[in-house]
Amino acid sequence: MSLISASGHLSKMAIAPSADGEPVQYQLVLDDQRIALNEHLGKHITLQWQGEIHCCHCGRKTKKSFAQGFCYPCFSKLAQCDSCMMSPEKCHFAAGTCREPQWAEQVCFNDHIVYLANSSGLKVGITRATQMPVRWLDQGASQALPIARVKNRRLSGLIEDLLRQQVADKTNWRALLKGDAVPLDLGAERDRLFDRFAAGIDAIEQQEGPGSVTLIENAATETFAYPVMNYPLKISSHNFDKTAEVSGRLEGIKGQYLLLDTGVINLRKFTSYNTGFTVTD
Ligand SMILES: [Zn+2]
C-alpha cells in the first residue's frame, strides 16, 4: 500500500536549515506540491518519469532539457542561461553584450558573497547574498564561511577566479556522496588566502571603486548535517533519460541528491521532468 502518491514537474528540492546539529529538512517539489522527505528515510520510494519535459521558464514541451530545465529557445535567449552565469568574471553586461540588461540590473547588480565551503574538501564559491544558506545546502556543504561581500556578480567572479589559483571551485560529487567531509578550519584558510591574495583583491576593488569589495574578517563558520542513514560504498547514478522508473530504499539525502540503496539520483538535473512519486513501506 502506498503512503504517498503524487505527481508533477520536478524542481530542485527545497532545503531548510535546522537548529544546531539536527539534519537539514528536505521537501520534494512537484509543481506547487511540497512533500516532506526526511520522515521517509528508510522507506521504499519510486520516482517515475512520465515521459514529458516542460520548460521551467515558458512551459513549452521540449524533448531535451537544457541547463537543468529549459527548452532550447529559452536556453539560447535568457541571460540566466548564458555562460557568464557560470563564469561571472566574463560578465557580458560589462562587455556590452548582455542578453537581458534589465534582468541583469535586477539580479547581477546586487550584493554578492564570496565564500569558502567544505563539501568534498575546500572550495571557493559565490552567491547572491540573499541565497545564503540555500546555495550551500544545495551543494551539500558541511561547512561554509562568507569571506567577502561585493557590489555585483562580476566582482565576485573576479575574486573567485583569483582564489581559484589555490582553491578548487568544484565539488567532487562522488566524494560528497561517499561520506561526511573531514572538518576544516575555514577561518585559517580564509586568513591564508587573504594574506596570499591581498594585492590582487585590492586591485579588483580599485577597478570598480573604493567600497565595492568588503572583506569579511570575522564571520563564524556555519555547519550543516544531512539526513543520511548510510552512504553507498560504490556509486552508481540513476538517469531518467535511460530508465524512467527509479526505485529503492531511501538511505539519505545530501545536496540535491537522493541516496537510494539502488543508486543515487541528482534531482536538480531532472528539473521540469513530469514525474510521479510514491512512498511504500
Ligand atoms: Zn522555454
Side-chain angles (χ1 to χ4, degrees):
M1 199 187 91
S2 70
L3 302 170
I4 285 186
S5 182
S7 68
H9 297 85
L10 276 173
S11 292
K12 69 179 182 125
M13 290 182 282
I15 319 177
S18 290
D20 279 352
E22 291 297 308
V24 299
Q25 294 290 322
Y26 278 91
Q27 291 178 318
L28 184 72
V29 179
L30 291 169
D31 289 327
D32 53 4
Q33 304 167 79
R34 287 178 170 226
I35 302 157
L37 285 181
N38 293 47
E39 64 204 63
H40 299 308
L41 233 58
K43 292 184 183 144
H44 192 272
I45 67 166
T46 302
L47 290 154
Q48 172 86 45
W49 177 36
Q50 294 167 348
E52 294 193 344
I53 306 169
H54 292 95
C55 173
C56 60
H57 184 77
C58 72
R60 127 175 63 197
K61 189 171 158 181
T62 176
K63 273 196 171 148
K64 195 169 171 258
S65 158
F66 297 85
Q68 302 179 330
F70 295 88
C71 68
Y72 188 76
C74 286
F75 170 70
S76 50
K77 276 187 212 134
L78 296 175
Q80 63 185 293
C81 297
D82 208 347
S83 58
C84 51
M85 286 308 282
M86 298 300 283
S87 304
E89 72 279 10
K90 297 173 188 155
C91 173
H92 288 103
F93 193 99
T97 53
C98 181
R99 289 172 172 181
E100 296 177 279
Q102 282 185 324
W103 181 88
E105 278 171 14
Q106 283 168 21
V107 175
C108 301
F109 289 85
N110 278 310
D111 280 11
H112 279 63
I113 297 289
V114 183
Y115 62 85
L116 297 179
N118 181 10
S119 42
S120 56
L122 183 65
K123 66 160 273 178
V124 59
I126 67 159
T127 183
R128 271 183 283 161
T130 53
Q131 293 303 106
M132 296 186 294
V134 170
R135 178 83 181 138
W136 302 330
L137 302 177
D138 282 346
Q139 293 177 338
S142 54
Q143 296 173 288
L145 177 67
I147 62 167
R149 178 179 281 265
V150 301
K151 287 293 175 203
N152 60 55
R153 188 172 182 87
R154 178 176 157 272
L155 284 170
S156 66
L158 289 171
I159 294 178
E160 182 186 38
D161 196 40
L162 186 68
L163 302 187
R164 248 196 308 248
Q165 293 174 28
Q166 291 206 345
V167 181
D169 65 336
K170 299 272 188 305
T171 296
N172 175 341
W173 66 272
R174 286 180 179 276
L176 180 77
L177 301 180
K178 276 195 165 174
D180 291 327
V182 176
L184 298 172
D185 185 344
L186 295 185
E189 298 290 352
R190 170 198 58 206
D191 295 345
R192 180 177 67 80
L193 291 166
F194 281 175
D195 280 351
R196 169 69 180 79
F197 293 108
I201 294 173
D202 212 38
I204 289 168
E205 183 183 10
Q206 292 316 315
Q207 279 183 32
E208 193 80 10
S212 57
V213 173
T214 306
L215 297 183
I216 305 172
E217 316 249 3
N218 53 5
T221 296
E222 297 200 41
T223 62
F224 308 103
Y226 294 86
V228 176
M229 296 164 56
N230 295 304
Y231 283 106
L233 295 173
K234 186 168 167 288
I235 296 189
S236 57
S237 301
H238 291 296
N239 182 344
F240 284 150
D241 295 327
K242 292 179 183 148
T243 310
E245 184 176 303
V246 169
S247 69
R249 193 171 105 103
L250 180 62
E251 304 218 303
I253 317 173
K254 191 174 190 186
Q256 286 291 334
Y257 288 87
L258 296 182
L259 281 53
L260 307 181
D261 63 350
T262 56
V264 304
I265 181 166
N266 176 2
L267 287 189
R268 190 166 200 177
K269 184 172 169 184
F270 301 105
T271 297
S272 304
Y273 283 59
N274 186 15
T275 302
F277 175 69
T278 55
V279 179
T280 47
D281 254 332

